[in-house]
Amino acid sequence: MTKYRINKTRFVDQTKTVSFTFDCKEYHGFKGDTLASALLSNGIHLVGRSFKYHRPRGIMSCGSEEPNAICQINADTNLTEPNVRATEVELYEGLRASSQNCWPSLNFDIGGINNLISPFIPAGFYYKTFMWPKSFWKKIYEPLIRLSAGLGKSPSQPDPDIYDHKHEHCDVLIIGGGISGIISAKIAAKNNLKTILIEDKNILGGSTIYQNNKNFIIDNKKSNEWLMNEISELEKLDNLIIKTRTSLAAFHSYNYLLAKENISDHLPLDKKNGDIRQRLWKIRADKVIVAAGAIERPLIFNNNDRPGIMLANSVKRYLDFYGVSTGLNNIIFTNNDSAYETAVSLFEKGISVKIIDIRKKSSSNIVKNAEDLGIRIYWNSTVVNTFGYKKIKSIEIMNLSEDGSNVTGNKHKIQCDCLSISGGWTPMVHMHTQSGGKLDFREIDQVFVPSEKSENHINVGSCNGDFELEEIVKNTNNKVKKFLNISKSGFDKISVLCSKELEKKNIWLLPNTISESKTKSFIDFQNDSTAKDIKLALREGFKSIEHVKRYTTTGMATDQGKLSNMHALGIIADTAGVKMGTLGTTTFRPPFTPLTFGAIVGRSVGKFFDVVRKTSIHEWHVQNNAKFENVGQWKRPWYYPINNENLHEAVQRESKTARDSAGILDASTLGKIDIQGSDASEFLNRVYTNAWSKLGIGKCRYGLMLNEDGMVYDDGVTTRLGENHYLMTTTTGGAANVLSKLEDYLQTEWPELDVYLTSVTDHYSTASICGPNSKKILKKLFPNKDFSDEAFPHMSYQDAIIDKIECRIMRISFTGELSYEINIESKYGKSLWENCIKAGEEYKITPYGTETMHLLRAEKGFIIVGQDTDGTMTPIDLQMDWIVSKKKYDFIGKRSLYRSDTIREDRKQLVGLLTDDPNEILEEGAQIVSELDKKPVEMIGHVTSSYFSPNLNKSIALAVVKGGKKMKGQKLFVPMENKNINVTVSDFIFLDKENKRINA
Amino acid sequence: MFVINCPYCGERDQSEFSCGGEAHIVRPKQPTELSDDEWAEYLFMRKNIKGVQFERWNHAHGCRKWFNMVRDTSNDKIHAVYKMGEKPPVI
């Protein structure tokens, strides 16, 4: 045993030594230790440097509220994790921890200079200082701020661990495995309710499990013994799931809760075995009982942040749970009775202890117990200063004035190596407020407590503001019975004896002989904000707690102000002279403690990140060297390089071949909606801008769909398969939204229409063959079919058979070439495609991808919805007036086409752009201006599509330009970083305006 | 995340649904007869109430049916769920 491991407990197995390193030095602890308890057992308090002033900081608490002891685990590996609280890390063999925020070392930290210049860097320093001179920002200030920002280091490699998600439903979920949680769980589970109990520590029992003080007796047993017995009974219950090492992350509405279970974090490296590291539980509970406990408050006085200054109840836990004394010469500084339990425990283990109490007296049993033991108590006193740079050495105390607002008498210096502070308790109301619950302020002990309104959750125990053992046990029993509608429980006749606190006193900021502007009374230890900073913020006019918080950064560190928020509020209330209850609190947001990204994403990583959709022809594309692009979830061939062609070279070749001979495109990804019903024609009339009633069976028509605001939403060709049967195609990306929009109108506006919609996108594969030789290829594929223009004209469809399989041939064109699209059941898509390729071989048919498709259609001036339009373009803006029916009484978006805004003539309109230098290719998205000298430069439009056309042997572009319709021939400029490109507005149909090619 | 009682499928998680905004805004039967202001009223103006609001919801990842729902936007309490075409309940 080390000098500080003074006690044997049942919670730490002192026969099992565990070795670990801290800052590369090897130490030993025992199985059951946390990193913090193991460090303390080795006499180590100094574990980190503070964020702003780089002051030496020590372990302060024993739980999730820890502000100081945040470490980097397994640094320099891809498993590394920053900002881990040493108080929560279970010790395992081979654990490597290091301190953060110090350089070159924890003991000698250059950043410590910030402590000396601290008078010059108060709250808001950044906002005030980095404003000027402007030129300093980019070269000096920003790099400087980036250098000092952030805590710890993130790993540079992908996380190798596996994370898991699990959905669970239960009747009752209990958050917290302390005494009130255990009582609740037993009542619920004994009444045949499926119950889950979660506890963030590895052992149930909270702080009662090591409470062996004789003043706390339940049913004639010491409270820890009574509770151990209860826990062993609990473990026998079938319908109770107990999850330790599981912390609640979020409590959402409708009792939907997220909890993170640590599965292998505590195992030695060689036993992790690639198992799941953490599991995120997604629990939907009928009823929730919050038994989250309370967090001890620090006290705010000058230099209250030295290593060795700890929360009093944590000192007791280290002693009675881990068997570690945090010092051999202790002083306890308190404003309440609970710290006396620590004093008695220390004394009973033979450790020197003195008590400083800001109250004038206390007449409770536990205080009498301490007095009887002969522990020296300094009543009505306060600490005014502390000494010792890397570890506390001594303190100075003074008497308090009558009203507690000042100090009187002489300073008295006392030596110590640990100062345990206790400023009372703060109920953990985080879960309650996350779920939407409100809070009441209780004046007598200055706490916010839940104001119960929900039918679906309650708070019990100290998170409900019940701090005394008798209250906790009896109130929990009564509340849970009522909540679960149970008449009797095993706890109805329980007898509880406990010490009761009668005298209460709280001073948020303890007085001093010097003004607070010269003191460092820390409120937020992790973000280094002091009482001085809060007062400065108030002087500068910040009144709302939310504003003060952000200005001073109080409560904004990784601990989210678990220790600091109440003091900040109290000091604001005192300074502003208002009641604390009227200030309200800052918002408690999930997660309660930080979650790993791994736990959040679970298994949705790598190839499971999102669905990938592939056409049935995909394999052929892969074998033929296609480069793919993502279009929504689809993988579409982008281009098919031959040898070492780059994108440009491949596209030039593909588009030339397609126009000169033949090309083939996998068009399977286009959305396909099967429309049937006696009102199908009427329905299309209403959703498209053009007329549909007169479309003959077997004919195809291009349609443009608007939103109700008149803006272009989608487009595609729809084919009339029968009297009451159509096949609509949509854009690849828009398919799902179009179906949903059509369903919306059908179900909600026009329920009288007899129309049924079915998505058949995945049902059919489509091979689209274009080019002057396409007809010859089709003839080879379908020798019995008449492909003459008379028998099979443009914009018509016919059924056909290939290899005994039925298919549909549409003669439609998105390239301006003679073109046929063959639709076949998806499972035959690849064989159809291979047949096409084979038949096209003698014409050097080229497969082409989306890039060539885009180029070919741009040559022809066909728009792509979403590329040439952006939700602000009407068909009139696109110069597509021809497709907007004048005769139809109504269609979606019609009325909006003549709103005062949509008829403006200076709207952005689609035009063609030709560069003066035909080899210059514009950048898509580039801005367009008409006057270069005008300041500020006025942007009148932007380039939407731009390519070099091998068929025209010049660059072409589509653009939207204000008032562009009337600008044909006008010179404009596209300013780029290093030059201005001269362009001329042109027609946006660059090739074959007469439509000769589709009938070639 | 709340639980919605789809009138066709029963209770499901909110993640299966999408919200379609305020309910009972009927598309005008004769849009061409409306002034710009009247059309804008239909097209753009929504109440966005803090409190009890009548909303359209779609069971997008389920039966794909649209229905109406009365929800208190301040606390997400759902007061009623009813099919399209049914009379809104008095809340």
Side-chain angles (χ1 to χ4, degrees):
Chain A
M1 276 207 276
T2 60
K3 186 171 150 195
Y4 296 95
R5 182 84 65 176
I6 58 153
N7 191 12
K8 278 203 159 74
T9 73
R10 61 195 297 275
F11 308 108
V12 173
D13 185 350
Q14 296 195 11
T15 64
K16 294 201 172 112
T17 306
V18 177
S19 51
F20 68 101
T21 67
F22 181 70
D23 280 345
C24 299
K25 200 174 162 201
E26 187 167 329
Y27 297 96
H28 300 280
F30 295 118
K31 190 167 184 282
D33 264 329
T34 60
L35 176 58
S37 69
L39 286 168
L40 288 167
S41 77
N42 287 280
I44 294 168
H45 280 260
L46 173 65
V47 288
R49 291 279 179 157
S50 70
F51 182 55
K52 189 168 167 189
Y53 303 125
H54 291 250
R55 284 168 68 104
R57 289 282 166 80
I59 297 159
M60 199 169 169
S61 72
C62 59
S64 62
E65 70 271 37
E66 177 60 39
N68 292 339
I70 54 174
C71 300
Q72 185 94 29
I73 302 293
N74 294 317
D76 305 325
T77 72
N78 52 0
L79 290 161
T80 191
E81 194 178 358
N83 300 334
V84 174
R85 289 164 298 282
T87 51
E88 292 192 306
V89 176
E90 288 181 51
L91 203 65
Y92 57 82
E93 184 67 34
L95 170 72
R96 295 188 299 128
S98 36
S99 50
Q100 297 184 164
N101 213 38
C102 49
W103 186 85
S105 77
L106 178 59
N107 272 302
F108 177 73
D109 176 17
I110 296 277
I113 196 158
N114 283 5
N115 191 35
L116 301 175
I117 60 162
S118 63
F120 306 104
I121 48 175
F125 159 74
Y126 297 91
Y127 312 123
K128 291 165 190 162
T129 308
F130 298 130
M131 299 291 291
W132 47 261
K134 206 175 162 187
S135 59
F136 271 38
W137 177 253
K138 206 164 181 183
K139 293 259 163 64
I140 298 172
Y141 292 151
E142 194 187 318
L144 200 73
I145 292 172
R146 286 196 184 278
L147 203 66
S148 58
L151 290 166
K153 282 184 197 146
S154 42
S156 54
Q157 297 293 312
D159 189 339
D161 289 320
I162 303 168
Y163 300 82
D164 202 20
H165 283 182
K166 183 166 177 165
H167 292 263
E168 186 64 86
H169 294 78
C170 64
D171 295 320
V172 184
L173 173 70
I174 295 152
I175 304 161
I179 184 166
S180 48
I182 286 164
I183 291 172
S184 309
K186 197 169 172 192
I187 298 173
K190 283 232 169 196
N191 282 278
N192 288 324
L193 297 166
K194 184 183 172 188
T195 307
I196 300 176
L197 171 65
I198 62 168
E199 161 61 39
D200 69 343
K201 294 215 156 49
N202 59 342
I203 285 173
L204 294 181
S207 60
T208 311
I209 200 71
Y210 55 91
Q211 176 59 285
N212 58 4
N213 189 289
K214 63 175 185 182
N215 292 292
F216 301 90
I217 303 293
I218 305 176
D219 281 348
N220 302 319
K221 288 187 192 125
K222 277 188 180 173
S223 57
N224 61 333
E225 286 162 16
W226 178 85
L227 192 62
M228 275 175 216
N229 192 41
E230 287 298 311
I231 292 170
S232 58
E233 281 190 37
L234 210 57
E235 282 159 356
K236 294 175 201 154
L237 296 170
D238 289 340
N239 49 341
L240 173 67
I241 301 171
I242 300 172
K243 279 280 157 200
T244 51
R245 298 190 175 101
T246 304
S247 53
L248 193 86
F251 187 166
H252 294 300
S253 57
Y254 284 65
N255 280 358
Y256 182 68
L257 299 98
L258 301 178
K260 181 196 70 178
E261 181 186 11
N262 273 333
I263 293 174
S264 64
D265 269 348
H266 62 288
L267 298 176
L269 290 174
D270 58 339
K271 292 213 173 120
K272 291 189 204 282
N273 289 337
D275 277 351
I276 295 161
R277 181 186 171 203
Q278 295 172 347
R279 176 176 289 138
L280 192 69
W281 288 66
K282 302 178 169 189
I283 307 167
R284 183 77 74 173
D286 191 36
K287 306 263 181 192
V288 175
I289 299 172
V290 184
I295 294 176
E296 191 165 27
R297 293 174 177 176
L299 288 164
I300 312 300
F301 53 93
N302 189 24
N303 289 320
N304 59 342
D305 67 325
R306 299 195 188 283
I309 300 182
M310 301 178 68
L311 294 172
N313 190 265
S314 299
V315 169
K316 183 169 189 290
R317 185 175 174 95
Y318 285 116
L319 188 67
D320 292 339
F321 191 92
Y322 300 105
V324 175
S325 177
T326 51
L328 301 176
N329 186 14
N330 282 267
I331 296 175
I332 285 169
F333 180 26
T334 184
N335 70 359
N336 68 88
D337 281 356
S338 68
Y340 285 75
E341 297 166 28
T342 307
V344 171
S345 258
L346 286 165
F347 186 89
E348 283 173 348
K349 271 103 200 159
I351 294 166
S352 155
V353 58
K354 300 181 184 73
I355 300 173
I356 297 154
D357 196 323
I358 71 165
R359 298 174 295 178
K360 285 174 182 158
K361 68 174 177 94
S362 174
S363 39
S364 63
N365 293 348
I366 184 76
V367 172
K368 191 162 181 306
N369 184 189
E371 281 172 334
D372 289 348
L373 293 170
I375 297 172
R376 172 79 195 269
I377 303 170
Y378 298 85
W379 294 107
N380 193 34
S381 299
T382 182
V383 177
V384 292
N385 206 354
T386 67
F387 304 92
Y389 185 55
K390 287 176 195 167
K391 174 84 182 285
I392 191 162
K393 284 182 184 144
S394 62
I395 61 169
E396 273 180 351
I397 67 168
M398 287 180 81
N399 282 329
L400 283 164
S401 66
E402 187 60 30
D403 63 353
S405 67
N406 222 323
V407 280
T408 61
N410 295 326
K411 280 181 190 161
H412 179 64
K413 198 161 188 164
I414 314 175
Q415 307 294 318
C416 65
D417 63 355
C418 180
L419 176 67
S420 312
I421 55 177
S422 176
W425 293 84
T426 298
M428 283 213 240
V429 293
H430 302 66
M431 286 78 183
H432 174 74
T433 54
Q434 275 181 27
S435 78
K438 300 276 178 269
L439 300 174
D440 291 330
F441 188 67
R442 193 164 74 191
E443 281 292 338
I444 184 162
D445 51 357
Q446 309 268 294
V447 293
F448 283 98
V449 291
S451 85
E452 299 284 3
K453 275 208 183 115
S454 169
E455 296 160 14
N456 303 314
H457 87 267
I458 53 167
N459 299 274
V460 296
S462 56
C463 73
N464 192 43
D466 295 345
F467 293 137
E468 275 160 12
L469 189 63
E470 188 177 355
E471 272 183 331
I472 290 171
V473 173
K474 294 194 168 164
N475 290 356
T476 299
N477 181 39
N478 292 334
K479 282 188 80 168
V480 171
K481 281 197 310 182
K482 194 174 160 205
F483 181 54
L484 301 179
N485 210 3
I486 289 164
S487 55
K488 268 193 230 162
S489 89
F491 302 103
D492 289 346
K493 285 174 189 153
I494 200 161
S495 82
V496 182
L497 295 174
C498 67
S499 172
K500 287 182 184 169
E501 184 172 281
L502 301 168
E503 287 81 9
K504 294 183 194 295
K505 182 172 188 174
N506 185 42
I507 302 172
W508 291 112
L509 174 58
L510 291 158
N512 210 314
T513 48
I514 43 176
S515 78
E516 78 264 353
S517 66
K518 296 200 173 101
T519 64
K520 281 230 174 57
S521 309
F522 286 92
I523 292 173
D524 186 317
F525 293 82
Q526 197 174 122
N527 263 354
D528 269 353
S529 49
T530 62
K532 178 175 69 180
D533 295 325
I534 299 227
K535 295 203 171 184
L536 176 73
L538 290 169
R539 279 202 306 280
E540 294 189 352
F542 294 97
K543 290 197 177 75
S544 151
I545 170 68
E546 296 283 5
H547 292 156
V548 173
K549 166 181 163 173
R550 280 156 185 80
Y551 191 58
T552 62
T553 71
T554 302
M556 291 175 69
T558 62
D559 60 349
Q560 288 287 288
K562 291 186 180 71
L563 294 182
S564 59
N565 284 340
M566 289 304 127
H567 296 86
L569 268 179
I571 291 169
I572 293 169
D574 286 352
T575 310
V578 296
K579 286 203 176 252
M580 190 163 157
T582 63
L583 282 177
T585 62
T586 53
T587 313
F588 300 96
R589 290 193 183 87
F592 177 65
T593 49
L595 276 177
T596 54
F597 282 112
I600 294 168
V601 299
R603 306 266 177 164
S604 304
V605 290
K607 63 179 176 178
F608 300 117
F609 180 70
D610 195 11
V611 175
V612 173
R613 297 175 80 183
K614 297 171 182 168
T615 73
S616 63
I617 311 163
H618 186 83
E619 211 180 304
W620 188 94
H621 303 317
V622 173
Q623 282 163 2
N624 285 273
N625 201 25
K627 301 283 178 233
F628 291 89
E629 83 167 329
N630 296 327
V631 181
Q633 292 168 327
W634 286 104
K635 293 272 173 213
R636 293 198 72 178
W638 188 16
Y639 61 102
Y640 299 80
I642 294 175
N643 300 325
N644 290 317
E645 279 179 335
N646 61 23
L647 169 68
H648 178 76
E649 290 158 354
V651 168
Q652 296 294 300
R653 173 184 50 76
E654 288 172 12
S655 31
K656 191 98 180 50
T657 314
R659 288 236 188 269
D660 291 347
S661 179
I664 181 167
L665 172 84
D666 181 355
S668 312
T669 62
L670 285 187
K672 294 179 270 294
I673 299 170
D674 183 276
I675 302 173
Q676 300 194 42
S678 57
D679 293 317
S681 302
E682 171 61 16
F683 180 66
L684 290 173
N685 266 335
R686 296 187 190 186
V687 300
Y688 277 134
T689 60
N690 45 350
W692 289 79
S693 312
K694 287 182 186 152
L695 184 71
I697 294 169
K699 300 287 182 210
C700 314
R701 184 166 285 173
Y702 174 74
L704 199 59
M705 198 182 287
L706 309 185
N707 254 332
E708 205 68 274
D709 61 7
M711 304 303 155
V712 171
Y713 185 72
D714 202 77
D715 69 345
V717 170
T718 294
T719 304
R720 189 164 195 175
L721 301 174
E723 176 64 28
N724 298 322
H725 192 187
Y726 290 84
L727 181 68
M728 173 189 277
T729 60
T730 73
T731 56
T732 298
N737 292 333
V738 169
L739 181 67
S740 145
K741 177 185 157 97
L742 297 183
E743 277 287 353
D744 186 357
Y745 275 93
L746 263 185
Q747 291 180 32
T748 67
E749 298 294 350
W750 309 317
E752 72 280 4
L753 293 186
D754 175 39
V755 177
Y756 301 90
L757 307 176
T758 312
S759 166
V760 292
T761 304
D762 296 292
H763 298 42
Y764 301 106
S765 286
T766 307
S768 173
I769 302 175
C770 78
N773 288 320
S774 55
K775 193 179 281 186
K776 292 174 198 152
I777 296 168
L778 267 282
K779 266 203 174 125
K780 281 176 75 178
L781 289 166
F782 304 96
N784 301 328
K785 211 153 198 59
D786 181 358
F787 284 98
S788 68
D789 288 347
E790 297 72 42
F792 201 156
H794 184 54
M795 295 312 268
S796 67
Y797 115 89
Q798 291 189 16
D799 288 320
I801 287 180
I802 184 166
D803 284 349
K804 297 181 189 162
I805 309 300
E806 289 178 1
C807 61
R808 291 178 184 136
I809 307 171
M810 277 94 172
R811 184 173 163 190
I812 52 178
S813 174
F814 189 45
T815 58
E817 291 300 317
L818 175 67
S819 175
Y820 299 88
E821 289 193 10
I822 311 167
N823 280 278
I824 199 161
E825 250 187 277
S826 277
K827 58 183 168 185
Y828 306 114
K830 188 160 165 264
S831 90
L832 169 74
W833 179 271
E834 283 164 348
N835 279 332
C836 295
I837 295 284
K838 207 171 149 199
E841 248 168 25
E842 64 177 290
Y843 304 103
K844 300 206 163 49
I845 192 169
T846 177
Y848 65 92
T850 49
E851 195 63 23
T852 291
M853 174 186 83
H854 286 184
L855 193 163
L856 294 174
R857 63 85 209 179
E859 290 175 337
K860 192 71 179 104
F862 292 149
I863 58 152
I864 289 184
V865 174
Q867 174 156 347
D868 303 298
T869 73
D870 60 1
T872 66
M873 303 298 290
T874 70
I876 318 301
D877 298 337
L878 295 168
Q879 306 212 38
M880 291 173 79
D881 314 47
W882 54 271
I883 202 172
V884 181
S885 164
K886 304 274 184 308
K887 290 182 194 151
K888 279 200 292 181
Y889 182 71
D890 191 15
F891 56 81
I892 297 172
K894 177 177 169 110
R895 175 61 186 83
S896 291
L897 294 180
Y898 52 94
R899 288 177 57 235
S900 58
D901 185 56
T902 40
I903 56 173
R904 276 190 299 117
E905 293 198 345
D906 62 344
R907 290 177 63 83
K908 283 187 178 174
Q909 291 150 352
L910 186 75
V911 295
L913 287 185
L914 293 172
T915 46
D916 287 4
D917 172 1
N919 291 316
E920 181 93 61
I921 306 169
L922 295 171
E923 272 189 39
E924 288 177 358
Q927 298 290 321
I928 299 163
V929 303
S930 58
E931 292 169 74
L932 284 170
D933 301 330
K934 195 175 170 187
K935 294 275 162 71
V937 178
E938 192 192 353
M939 312 293 185
I940 61 166
H942 64 273
V943 178
T944 59
S945 299
S946 173
Y947 311 90
F948 185 84
S949 160
N951 301 301
L952 297 160
N953 203 23
K954 64 180 177 186
S955 104
I956 55 166
L958 298 176
V960 291
V961 177
K962 281 183 185 166
K965 267 184 203 179
K966 292 183 178 163
M967 291 169 82
K968 207 174 282 179
Q970 198 169 321
K971 298 272 181 197
L972 297 174
F973 309 95
V974 177
M976 300 305 291
E977 200 173 354
N978 303 316
K979 60 178 172 185
N980 297 313
I981 302 172
N982 298 332
V983 296
T984 308
V985 178
S986 71
D987 197 326
F988 57 83
I989 303 172
F990 301 97
L991 182 119
D992 186 32
K993 205 172 174 185
E994 308 76 31
N995 283 335
K996 283 183 186 151
R997 302 178 77 104
I998 47 169
N999 289 316
Chain B
M1 192 167 72
F2 37 97
V3 175
I4 296 174
N5 190 6
C6 169
Y8 303 93
C9 307
E11 288 190 343
R12 296 289 191 279
D13 270 355
Q14 184 195 342
S15 57
E16 293 185 15
F17 297 84
S18 64
C19 181
E22 194 179 328
H24 303 298
I25 295 175
V26 181
R27 189 174 188 273
K29 284 271 179 283
Q30 296 170 315
T32 46
E33 328 256 301
L34 300 182
S35 69
D36 268 12
D37 284 349
E38 287 164 330
W39 180 245
E41 184 68 29
Y42 159 73
L43 197 54
F44 302 121
M45 305 314 267
R46 298 293 183 268
K47 292 200 193 90
N48 197 19
I49 295 162
K50 181 182 180 183
V52 175
Q53 176 162 284
F54 290 71
E55 298 172 334
R56 287 152 25 90
W57 282 78
N58 180 222
H59 195 181
H61 298 282
C63 63
R64 296 209 332 237
K65 283 282 193 186
W66 283 89
F67 58 91
N68 289 319
M69 190 161 110
V70 188
R71 179 176 67 111
D72 190 327
T73 57
S74 67
N75 59 14
D76 286 338
K77 189 171 159 60
I78 296 168
H79 293 282
V81 173
Y82 53 102
K83 293 178 180 174
M84 281 293 160
E86 289 179 358
K87 260 195 172 171
V90 181
I91 303 292

